[in-house]
Every structure is written in structure tokens, then in C-alpha cells.
């Protein structure tokens, strides 16, 4: 199906974007039903927006957190987690902040853009405050326990640098990958959009799964067009049966 056999000792990496969670009901960012439709992302997902109107930004994240908490992992997340659970060497590098890979059972995960269920001090104090899908909006802590300044989502906004540890972890994994699946990303947001090339240049076989072609399609060895929740289980289920 992917044009190459998947071997038991393959190092398999999944580079995922918002499209992998679309079938869970989490809106994507761009395209017809994009999350940003009706909102100006550049006004909400930036440090400048938070500085000028923190209440508006925090309220938007409360709305998004509730919406995401009401969603569940879909067959795409589950197929990836099942493969890792079966003993395959699987790592997920995701741009998603929705926690659905973790909720589906994946253990080896790099969250490039953070996690909406984590908060940190907007003033720069160290430490992460973890909340969960079941934390009621009124129980989400507002103030930093160290300095009292507002807590902000532990998310990488436009113009902010990704955590260097995450970049290094992603680069290391992609340099040591046999098979890369690029799933449900438009491939336009950097530096994530450039990461697949590391694997390709290191000799990995690259499979893209998306409902449409992207700027990454030319680089991929094969692009499988269709919903990730239908395609990934078809690829991985035979491997699990063969256990
Ligand atoms: C399906 C499907 C189904 C649908 N099955 N598929 C180099 C060049 C140009 C610009 C830059 C550059 N380097 C840095 C920049 C600036 C900027 C950037 O990239 N801008 C571009 C938009 C041009 N990058 C940054 O600012 C980054 N910081 C940085 O690099 O700092 C240093 C620096 C700064 C400035 C200049 C230079 C250097 C930070 C990026 C942080 C991204 N943050 C966001 C928002 C987080 C906030 C939040 O969520 O609350 O992260 S942006 C948003 O896009 C979100 C996503 O993770 C990210 C990627 O989107 P993704 O996942 O690809 O989703 P979509 O919606 O775009 O695509 C969905 C895809 O799924 C589509 O292809 C569908 O077809 C498909 N699909 N259903 C399979 N069922």
C-alpha cells in the first residue's frame, strides 16, 4: 500500500499536524473549516495579542480547551499507539497541542508547539502547571504560584521560538528514521515544515497522508490521498495481526 514493506526493526516516525485530529472533531487551522475562520489568528496566537488583551486570549483558550476535551482520539491516533504498544519502534513528532496522541496511548512523543493542557508563567518563571481534560474552566489556575503574574498556555505562538530541546529531539529522531509518515499537515509553518527533509536526506522512506497535496508532496516517496483515520489503520493493522 505504501510501496515498501514495513519491517519489524524499522524505526518509524510520525510527523503529524492538525489533519490527524480532524476526524476527532478538532478543527484544522487552514482550509474551508479552518479554526481561524471568523478569528484573526494573528490577533490571538501571538505574544503581542496576549500582552495587549490577555483576557481575550485566555478566554479563547478556555473555549478551545473545552472543545478539545470533548473530542476523543480517532482510528489514526489509535493505530499509531497500537503499533508502539506492539513493540515497534515508533515515535510521534506532532505540531498538535491537543493531547490526543497521548490520550490514545502513544508514549514516545515530541510536542513541537506545546500542549493546551499545560500552563506556564507569562513572566518567565520556570515550571509548568499541568491541568487536564476534566479541569473545569473555573479551576484553571490564573496566576503564577511564584510571582503572581498571569499564567499563559504552554504553546508556541507565531514569532516565538520552539523549545530547543524539542527541536534537538525531533532532529535526532528524524536523522535516525527508516520510515517517516507525514500526516495531516499543510507543511507551511516553519520550522516544523522543514523537518521531514532531515529524514529524507538521511535516507528515510517518506509517506505523506493527507486529503490533498501539499508543498511536501514532491519530497515524499508516496502521497496517499484520503482521511488519516481510514488510511493509517489499513497500513498498520496487518502488522498487528502478524504478531
Ligand atoms: C487531513 C485531514 C484528514 C485535513 N486526514 N489530512 C521560514 C519561512 C517563513 C516564515 C517563517 C520561517 N520560519 C519561521 C517563520 C515564521 C512562522 C511561520 O512559519 N509562518 C508561516 C505561516 C509562514 N513561524 C513561527 O513563527 C514559529 N517560530 C519561529 O520559527 O521562531 C523563530 C522565527 C520567528 C520569526 C521569523 C523567523 C524565525 C512558531 C510557529 C508556531 C506555530 N503555532 C501555531 C499556532 C499555535 C497556537 C494555538 O494552536 O493555539 O501552531 S500556527 C498553527 O499552524 C498551529 C499548527 O501546529 C501549525 C501547523 O498547522 P497544521 O498542523 O499544518 O494544520 P493546517 O490546518 O495548516 O493543515 C491541516 C492539514 O491537514 C491540511 O493539509 C489538510 O489538507 C489536512 N487534513 N483533514 C488527513 N482527515
Amino acid at each position: 500500500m505504501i510501496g515498501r514493506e514495513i519491517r519489524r526493526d524499522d524505526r518509524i516516525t510520525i510527523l503529524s499536524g492538525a489533519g490527524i485530529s480532524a476526524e476527532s472533531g478538532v478543527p484544522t487551522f487552514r482550509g474551508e473549516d479552518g479554526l481561524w475562520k471568523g478569528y484573526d489568528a494573528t490577533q490571538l496566537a501571538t505574544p503581542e495579542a496576549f500582552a495587549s488583551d490577555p483576557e481575550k486570549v485566555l478566554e479563547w483558550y478556555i473555549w478551545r480547551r473545552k472543545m478539545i476535551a470533548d473530542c476523543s482520539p480517532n482510528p489514526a491516533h489509535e493505530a499509531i499507539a497500537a503499533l508502539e504498544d506492539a513493540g515497534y519502534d515508533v515515535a510521534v513528532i506532532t505540531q498538535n497541542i491537543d493531547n490526543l496522541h497521548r490520550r490514545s496511548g502513544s508514549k514516545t512523543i515530541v510536542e513541537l508547539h506545546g500542549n493546551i493542557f499545560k500552563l506556564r508563567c507569562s513572566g518567565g518563571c520556570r515550571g509548568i502547571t499541568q491541568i487536564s481534560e476534566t479541569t473545569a474552566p473555573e479551576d484553571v489556575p490564573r496566576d503564577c504560584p511564584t510571582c503572581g503574574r498571569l499564567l499563559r498556555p504552554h504553546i508556541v505562538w507565531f514569532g516565538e521560538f520552539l523549545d530547543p530541546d524539542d527541536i534537538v529531539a525531533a532532529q535526532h529522531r528524524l536523522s535516525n528514521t527508516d520510515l517517516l509518515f507525514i500526516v495531516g499537515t499543510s507543511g507551511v509553518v516553519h520550522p516544523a515544515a522543514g523537518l521531514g527533509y532531515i529524514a529524507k536526506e538521511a535516507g528515510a522512506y517518506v509517506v505523506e497522508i493527507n486529503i490533498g497535496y501539499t508543498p511536501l508532496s514532491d519530497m515524499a516517496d508516496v502521497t496517499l490521498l484520503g482521511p488519516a483515520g481510514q488510511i493509517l489503520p489499513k497500513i498498520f493493522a496487518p502488522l498487528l495481526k502478524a504478531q
Side-chain angles (χ1 to χ4, degrees):
M1 184 173 182
I2 65 168
R4 177 197 183 278
E5 184 196 351
I6 301 180
R7 293 184 291 270
R8 195 65 185 75
D9 61 351
D10 272 335
R11 294 160 298 180
I12 300 169
T13 303
I14 316 288
L15 188 55
S16 67
I20 200 169
S21 297
E23 290 153 82
S24 295
V26 182
T28 58
F29 289 86
R30 298 167 186 86
E32 278 300 296
D33 302 315
L35 172 67
W36 305 132
K37 222 171 171 187
Y39 303 91
D40 185 346
T42 57
Q43 284 187 15
L44 293 175
T46 68
E48 292 79 16
F50 186 75
S52 74
D53 193 347
E55 293 304 332
K56 183 176 173 190
V57 174
L58 291 178
E59 201 178 300
W60 187 57
Y61 277 100
I62 285 170
W63 172 77
R64 286 185 60 202
R65 218 176 266 127
K66 164 88 175 77
M67 184 260 296
I68 288 169
D70 288 343
C71 296
S72 301
N74 68 54
H77 300 105
E78 286 160 2
I80 295 164
L83 201 63
E84 185 181 12
D85 197 41
Y88 280 81
D89 181 350
V90 180
V92 175
I93 300 170
T94 187
Q95 296 169 79
N96 299 343
I97 52 137
D98 58 28
N99 213 30
L100 289 179
H101 281 296
R102 190 165 286 107
R103 281 173 67 194
S104 71
S106 283
K107 292 178 187 69
T108 311
I109 308 174
V110 177
E111 292 174 317
L112 291 171
H113 294 164
N115 186 308
I116 199 166
F117 297 102
K118 291 179 179 172
L119 308 168
R120 69 169 188 268
C121 176
S122 59
C125 297
R126 281 168 182 271
I128 299 291
T129 301
Q130 178 86 51
I131 54 174
S132 80
E133 281 78 2
T134 56
T135 306
E138 59 273 20
D139 294 334
V140 174
R142 274 180 60 84
D143 303 322
C144 171
T146 306
C147 73
R149 272 189 262 191
L150 278 177
L151 292 170
R152 57 161 280 180
H154 183 55
I155 283 179
V156 183
W157 285 327
F158 282 112
E160 292 187 317
F161 288 95
L162 280 69
D163 184 328
D165 290 346
D166 291 335
I167 299 263
V168 168
Q171 287 171 335
H172 182 262
R173 176 68 192 193
L174 289 163
S175 305
N176 295 280
T177 283
D178 300 300
L179 195 46
L180 172 65
F181 290 87
I182 303 179
V183 187
T185 178
S186 57
V188 297
V189 176
H190 292 268
L195 290 176
Y197 293 88
I198 297 174
K200 178 75 180 174
E201 280 160 23
Y205 188 82
V206 180
V207 180
E208 182 185 42
I209 299 174
N210 200 301
I211 54 172
Y213 291 104
T214 75
L216 303 177
S217 303
D218 283 347
M219 174 270 281
D221 289 286
V222 61
T223 295
L224 303 177
L225 290 180
Q230 291 177 25
I231 294 179
L232 272 174
K234 277 191 195 139
I235 298 171
F236 292 159
L239 305 174
L240 302 174
K241 279 194 200 124
Q243 287 290 306

